[in-house]
Amino acid sequence: MEESRSHLLASLEISLDPELLDLALTHRSYSYEHGGIPTNERLEFLGDSILGQAVTVMLYTSFPDLEEGELAKRRASLVSTVALAEIARTIGLGPHIKLGRGEELTGGRDKSSILADTMEALIGATYLDQGPDVATPLVLRLVEPLVRDPRRFGVGMDPKTALQEKAGRLGFEAPVYSVAESGPDHRKSFVATVSVAGAKKRQPVSATGAGSSKKQAEAEAAAAAFVLLGE
């Protein structure tokens, strides 16, 4: 496991205290099944702030001609669950996350919400262990490929609208969503399925997404379907 985590840190180009790294990788489902040990949620809270600040400053300085509204949209895209999950998959984060058996059996290692939250926790852990001089460059390295992707500021900012527009452009029918919820009232989880019926002899497309809100789950499902539609 130590060797595996060393590869993870190498891909991030950072070093971290082993105990702090372990905490950053501990999902609440694992904590629940192991006596209520600390989870990565506080680190996630911190990392979200560090991420937002770094991306905001980068966009402000890199795009001096953009108006406030466009800067806000780009920031929302770069710090979204969809974007963070994409980064997490790129660095192979999923296998390192400590999950409970329930999440393990339901594909939790590839759930965008879990991947994104863990990514934020790692950023928070980096800030605590190494300070802003290491945490900020880490954020910028992670988002740089997304900033350079000309497609990013479409589907990433509004996956549902992007999917609807793409479906119409390619001759598909309008997307149809269904959402299932589970869990107690104070900690509900949602799984959304979007179906895009084929037209003009095209095969239908279906995709799912998960999140802590209906909106988040539908956005993740739409982003996945957007990719599946191709061009």
Side-chain angles (χ1 to χ4, degrees):
M1 180 176 291
E2 289 186 7
E3 182 179 353
S4 177
R5 288 184 174 181
S6 294
H7 287 307
L8 173 64
L9 293 177
S11 69
L12 294 171
E13 300 178 35
I14 60 171
S15 61
L16 273 181
D17 173 78
E19 291 187 7
L20 198 54
L21 173 59
D22 190 69
L23 178 60
L25 297 173
T26 303
H27 186 256
R28 64 173 177 263
S29 62
Y30 184 91
S31 169
Y32 178 78
E33 295 180 9
H34 290 78
I37 63 175
T39 75
N40 63 6
E41 292 180 341
R42 282 173 54 84
L43 287 175
E44 173 197 337
F45 171 78
L46 176 62
D48 176 70
S49 178
I50 305 305
L51 171 71
Q53 181 185 46
V55 169
T56 298
V57 174
M58 179 273 293
L59 289 172
Y60 183 87
T61 56
S62 299
F63 300 96
D65 296 329
L66 291 184
E67 297 293 332
E68 181 270 342
E70 181 62 24
L71 289 172
K73 290 180 181 178
R74 295 197 176 202
R75 178 178 60 191
S77 173
L78 292 172
V79 304
S80 69
T81 297
V82 172
L84 290 174
E86 183 178 332
I87 291 170
R89 292 187 182 102
T90 299
I91 65 172
L93 180 58
H96 301 280
I97 303 174
K98 298 172 70 173
L99 294 175
R101 181 170 174 78
E103 285 291 357
E104 189 80 66
L105 294 174
T106 57
R109 294 193 183 281
D110 196 48
K111 284 184 180 178
S112 293
S113 55
I114 292 178
L115 289 170
D117 290 347
T118 308
M119 200 70 246
E120 289 180 334
L122 281 172
I123 293 170
T126 302
Y127 180 87
L128 283 183
D129 193 52
Q130 302 289 322
D133 290 342
V134 174
T136 297
L138 169 63
V139 170
L140 298 181
R141 287 196 303 273
L142 292 173
V143 303
E144 181 185 12
L146 308 185
V147 176
R148 290 188 282 103
D149 183 355
R151 302 166 299 173
R152 174 60 43 189
F153 304 113
V155 62
M157 288 191 287
D158 189 347
K160 292 182 69 174
T161 298
L163 175 62
Q164 183 168 337
E165 292 175 349
K166 188 173 187 179
R169 186 170 70 249
L170 297 179
F172 286 81
E173 296 183 13
V176 176
Y177 295 84
S178 62
V179 180
E181 63 180 72
S182 60
D185 290 340
H186 67 284
R187 188 172 286 177
K188 284 191 175 296
S189 59
F190 299 82
V191 175
T193 301
V194 60
S195 300
V196 187
K200 300 179 181 178
K201 298 182 179 181
R202 292 182 178 272
Q203 293 295 317
V205 168
S206 178
T208 60
S212 57
S213 68
K214 177 181 176 182
K215 180 179 179 181
Q216 183 184 57
E218 288 183 340
E220 290 190 20
F226 183 93
V227 174
L228 291 175
L229 277 182
E231 279 293 356

